[in-house]
């Protein structure tokens, strides 16, 4: 079977590579690939010409101290929340071919591990780029491979253990008593020691000191004992000399070998657990393809969640209702409201305690609100870009093209605008707790008054551009979640971002002139001037978006399903 597995892996890799090479013949894939490669070269591979260039922050001692903590949190997350379900998943073709073949459970496990090495090796080679300014050699790539392979084995071992408990019940728990005891004691030690040090955390003068206190606590026993295996795994990546690397890689290889023995000796019905995980993954992939939005899957238990809809009204409201209901039932709405809620909790917790923490909340809210202007349309695709592949169904609705475009744009623009408004409101609230009066109170009130109209108008204009590009140039825009992944996908996203930002900048010329005219010509007090200027910009953006929606609606009426690839 070893020869058959090797043939299957090598042939699959060759066919995938040939398929990607054939795609480059298409101009849009070639341009996207060049943009993606150019991005990687500029960010990672371009040599620094500055004489005092600093090494990569990923090679610093601080990062080397924090990385074991991050690995500990990741492993604890696996064991507590069970985020290892897909570790046992195979593709539908592998399930149909391998599970019916005379292959042992150990053979399937080994095949799964070898197949995972492609992603592990790719990530390890990228480590060379991330550490290039620190004089990275092949030793760091090997160290990264050892670390990632160990984590992959641990994830698979955790999945097998959970499957064993599900299969054997209390008997399975007895068979895995050692692993459960070790992780239970480790979790208890970490919780007890951190609770004992809570006074030092609360007495920290600045939020940045919390990280130093955390590092100091984990450097002392017994927390250092808990962190010891994780330091073994990451130590070779930060070895400064060849001798130190040799001394660090040997324990890491022993840890890797122990994980191999653990996984291969796991007692579980691997086929049944893997088949269940594979079926769950296949359902998720099918849901992504058929729904084609942000990748959320409707939970059957959430079917009771609904939004009341009047039996009569504007027909486009029904389409907005359907898209908003999907947001709620797939949990996407919680994702939109989660970050503002966390920022508000931090704002209220640090109120009167730390001005620096409040300033960080202001920066976080401001940067996130600005970033969502660029990346929000890339992730929030609950609009025409997701529905365009189902154009025949859209054309059967008793709606005009303008009504469909208006409903689809509003379905994505309004949730993003609500998220941005909440971030702005929390940022202004946190700014009021900062001792330095950076922005006067009257201007802050004016910003708060103007932000709803401004953000809604800006979001409508922004999402109209993205939906218009998908409608007019469907071959150059990713529709739904179909499309490749990798460098060319990143390049395609960069190409779309550049074009849409350029069009948005052109679209903002008239609104900016209108806002400036209101602010400088009317000579009102600052509160009314800021509020009026922001409202004027928002109304102008909304009007431009509405006019574009009308023009795009005519193009949607003339579009035929065969024109969508």
């Amino acid at each position: 079977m070893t020869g058959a597995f090797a043939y299957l892996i090598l042939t699959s890799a060759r066919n995938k590579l040939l398929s990607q090479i054939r795609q480059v013949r298409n101009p849009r894939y070639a341009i996207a690939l060049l943009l993606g490669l150019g991005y990687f070269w500029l960010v990672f591979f371009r040599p620094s010409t500055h004489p005092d260039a600093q090494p990569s922050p990923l090679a610093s001692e601080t990062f080397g101290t924090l990385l074991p903590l991050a690995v500990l949190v990741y492993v604890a997350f696996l064991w507590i929340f069970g985020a290892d379900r897909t570790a046992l998943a195979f593709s539908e073709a592998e399930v149909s071919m391998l599970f019916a073949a005379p292959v042992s459970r150990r053979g399937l496990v080994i095949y799964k591990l070898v197949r995972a090495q492609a992603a592990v090796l790719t990530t390890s080679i990228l480590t060379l780029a991330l550490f290039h300014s620190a004089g990275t050699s092949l030793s760091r790539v090997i160290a990264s491979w050892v670390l990632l392979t160990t984590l992959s084995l641990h994830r698979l071992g955790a999945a097998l253990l959970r499957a064993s408990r599900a299969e054997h019940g209390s008997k399975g728990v007895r068979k895995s008593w050692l692993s459960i005891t070790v992780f239970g004691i480790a979790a208890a030690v970490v919780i007890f020691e951190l609770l004992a040090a809570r006074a030092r955390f609360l007495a920290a003068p600045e939020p940045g000191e919390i990280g130093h206190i955390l590092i100091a606590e984990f450097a002392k026993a017994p927390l250092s004992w808990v962190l010891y295996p994780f330091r073994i795994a990451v130590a070779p990546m930060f070895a400064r000399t060849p001798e130190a690397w040799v001394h660090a890689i040997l324990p890491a290889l022993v840890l890797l070998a122990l994980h191999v023995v653990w996984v291969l000796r796991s007692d579980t019905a691997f086929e049944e657990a893997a088949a269940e995980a594979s079926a769950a993954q296949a359902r998720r992939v099918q849901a992504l393809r058929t729904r084609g939005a942000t990748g959320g899957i409707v939970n059957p238990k959430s079917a009771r969640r609904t939004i009341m809809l009047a039996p009569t009204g504007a027909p486009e409201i029904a389409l907005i209702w359907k898209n908003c209901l999907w947001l709620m039932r797939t949990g996407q709405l919680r994702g939109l409201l989660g970050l503002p809620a966390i920022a508000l909790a931090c704002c209220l917790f640090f109120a009167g305690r730390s001005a620096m923490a409040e300033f960080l909340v202001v920066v976080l809210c401001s940067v996130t609100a600005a970033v969502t202007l660029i990346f929000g349309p890339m992730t929030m695709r609950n609009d025409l870009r997701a529905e365009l592949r189902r154009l025949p169904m859209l054309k059967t609705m008793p709606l005009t093209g303008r009504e469909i475009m208006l409903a689809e744009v509003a379905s994505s623009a309004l949730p993003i605008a609500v998220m941005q408004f909440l971030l702005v409101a929390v940022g202004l609230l946190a700014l009021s707790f900062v001792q330095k009066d950076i922005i006067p109170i009257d201007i802050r009130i004016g910003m708060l008054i103007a932000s709803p109209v401004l953000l809604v108008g800006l979001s409508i204009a922004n999402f109209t551009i993205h939906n218009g590009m998908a409608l007019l140039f469907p071959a150059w825009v990713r529709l739904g979640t179909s499309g490749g992944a990798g460098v060319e996908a990143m390049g395609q996203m960069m190409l779309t971002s550049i074009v849409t930002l350029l069009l948005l900048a052109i679209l903002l010329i008239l609104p900016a002139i209108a806002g400036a005219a209101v602010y400088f010509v009317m000579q009102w007090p600052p509160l009314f001037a800021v509020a009026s200027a922001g409202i004027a910009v928002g109304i102008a953006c909304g009007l431009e978006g509405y006019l574009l929606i009308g023009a795009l609606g005519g193009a949607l009426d003339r579009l035929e399903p065969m024109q969508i690839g």
Side-chain angles (χ1 to χ4, degrees):
M1 286 307 295
T2 303
F5 281 149
Y7 172 80
L8 178 60
I9 294 173
L10 294 177
T11 304
S12 300
R14 184 195 63 186
N15 292 339
K16 183 177 181 180
L17 179 61
L18 292 177
S19 176
Q20 292 178 341
I21 293 176
R22 294 190 192 99
Q23 285 183 340
V24 179
R25 300 175 183 175
N26 191 316
R28 66 189 181 98
Y29 282 107
I31 295 174
L33 180 62
L34 290 176
L35 283 174
L37 292 176
Y39 170 80
F40 272 99
W41 183 82
L42 289 174
V43 174
F44 298 120
F45 295 100
R46 181 173 59 90
S48 176
T49 56
H50 197 278
D52 299 327
Q54 299 295 325
S56 171
L58 297 179
S60 63
E61 294 182 1
T62 302
F63 184 78
T65 306
L66 293 177
L67 186 58
L69 294 177
V71 176
L72 172 61
V73 172
Y74 172 73
V75 172
F77 186 86
L78 290 181
W79 287 92
I80 296 174
F81 297 101
D84 47 50
R85 183 182 181 90
T86 58
L88 299 175
F90 288 78
S91 66
E92 295 182 10
E94 290 171 340
V95 171
S96 60
M97 288 191 308
L98 299 180
F99 283 32
V103 182
S104 64
R105 180 188 62 82
R106 176 170 295 187
L108 289 174
V109 173
I110 294 175
Y111 170 77
K112 181 70 175 176
L113 295 177
V114 174
R115 282 295 302 268
Q117 290 306 303
V120 172
L121 288 174
T122 302
T123 308
S124 301
I125 293 173
L126 288 178
T127 304
L128 178 66
L130 295 175
F131 284 91
H132 72 281
S133 59
T136 298
S137 62
L138 183 62
S139 61
R140 291 194 185 274
V141 178
I142 296 175
S144 176
W145 173 82
V146 171
L147 172 62
L148 295 176
T149 303
T150 303
L151 291 178
S152 177
L153 286 167
H154 193 92
R155 182 167 174 259
L156 182 57
L160 292 172
L161 182 60
R162 293 173 67 87
S164 178
R165 292 204 303 266
E167 176 194 2
H168 300 293
S170 59
K171 183 179 179 181
V173 175
R174 288 195 299 270
K175 289 187 176 182
S176 57
W177 66 270
L178 181 60
S179 300
I180 296 175
T181 303
V182 169
F183 282 97
I185 293 176
V189 170
V190 171
I191 295 173
F192 179 80
E193 292 295 326
L194 292 182
L195 287 177
R198 64 183 182 276
R200 288 187 287 275
F201 288 110
L202 294 177
E206 300 295 342
E209 294 295 328
I210 295 178
H212 297 291
I213 297 175
L214 191 64
I215 294 174
E217 290 297 324
F218 274 96
K220 299 183 298 184
L223 289 181
S224 60
W225 302 340
V226 175
L227 208 62
Y228 180 70
F230 306 99
R231 286 176 173 161
I232 288 178
V234 304
M237 297 181 62
F238 301 92
R240 297 295 182 181
T241 62
E243 294 79 9
W245 183 84
V246 171
H247 285 88
I249 198 66
L250 293 178
L253 290 175
V254 172
L255 186 64
L256 174 62
L258 291 176
H259 275 79
V260 172
V261 174
W262 173 41
V263 169
L264 295 181
R265 292 177 62 87
S266 296
D267 179 21
T268 182
F270 178 79
E271 291 81 357
E272 289 78 359
E276 182 181 353
S278 303
Q281 178 173 274
R283 289 193 298 269
R284 179 176 180 84
V285 172
Q286 182 64 23
L288 295 180
R289 291 174 178 172
T290 55
R291 182 60 187 86
T294 55
I297 299 177
V298 177
N299 188 344
K301 295 182 180 179
S302 66
R304 292 174 293 181
R305 302 174 186 173
T306 187
I307 303 173
M308 298 303 296
L309 180 67
T312 59
E316 56 267 27
I317 296 297
L319 193 55
I320 299 177
W321 170 82
K322 184 264 298 181
N323 290 336
C324 291
L325 193 64
W326 179 86
L327 281 178
M328 184 175 65
R329 292 184 174 180
T330 55
Q332 299 293 320
L333 189 60
R334 291 196 300 269
L336 291 174
L337 301 179
L339 185 58
I342 294 174
L344 178 60
C346 294
C347 173
L348 298 178
F349 177 79
F350 290 105
R353 299 183 180 182
S354 175
M356 178 60 68
E358 297 291 349
F359 183 75
L360 291 178
V361 172
V362 174
V363 173
L364 172 66
C365 293
S366 304
V367 171
T368 306
V371 166
T372 52
L373 182 66
I374 302 174
F375 295 102
M378 299 295 176
T379 57
M380 190 70 175
R381 305 176 64 85
N382 193 34
D383 47 31
L384 189 65
R385 292 169 294 171
E387 305 282 0
L388 202 55
R389 290 195 180 278
R390 300 191 290 181
L391 185 60
M393 186 190 70
L394 289 177
K395 284 187 171 291
T396 61
M397 296 181 178
L399 299 171
T400 63
R402 186 189 64 83
E403 293 172 339
I404 293 176
M405 286 296 305
L406 180 61
E408 296 288 1
V409 170
S411 298
S412 292
L414 293 180
I416 288 294
V418 170
M419 176 187 177
Q420 291 174 329
F421 170 70
L422 293 177
L423 288 172
V424 170
V426 174
L428 292 175
L429 177 62
L431 195 61
S432 63
F433 293 111
V434 178
Q435 294 180 356
K436 295 181 180 179
D437 195 8
I438 301 176
I439 302 178
I441 182 64
D442 52 351
I443 295 181
R444 294 203 301 267
I445 295 175
M447 294 170 61
L448 185 63
I449 294 174
S451 57
V453 180
L454 173 62
L455 294 174
V456 169
L458 191 60
S459 293
I460 289 176
N462 195 13
F463 278 91
T464 301
I465 293 174
H466 282 268
N467 283 267
M469 287 189 59
L471 178 64
L472 301 178
F473 308 100
W476 289 81
V477 177
R478 181 172 63 89
L479 301 179
T481 56
S482 62
V487 178
E488 68 276 6
M490 178 181 293
Q492 187 175 13
M493 184 182 68
M494 292 173 58
L495 180 62
T496 303
S497 301
I498 292 172
V499 175
T500 52
L501 287 177
L502 179 60
L503 294 176
L504 182 62
I506 296 174
L507 201 66
L508 287 176
I509 294 177
L510 291 180
I513 294 175
V518 171
Y519 184 84
F520 292 105
V521 174
M522 301 304 294
Q523 296 294 323
W524 285 337
L527 189 154
F528 297 100
V530 172
S532 302
I535 293 174
V537 173
I539 292 175
C541 288
L543 288 176
E544 288 183 334
Y546 185 78
L547 294 176
L548 283 177
I549 287 173
L552 294 172
L556 180 59
D557 288 329
R558 296 186 297 270
L559 185 66
E560 295 297 332
M562 64 182 65
Q563 296 177 251
I564 304 298

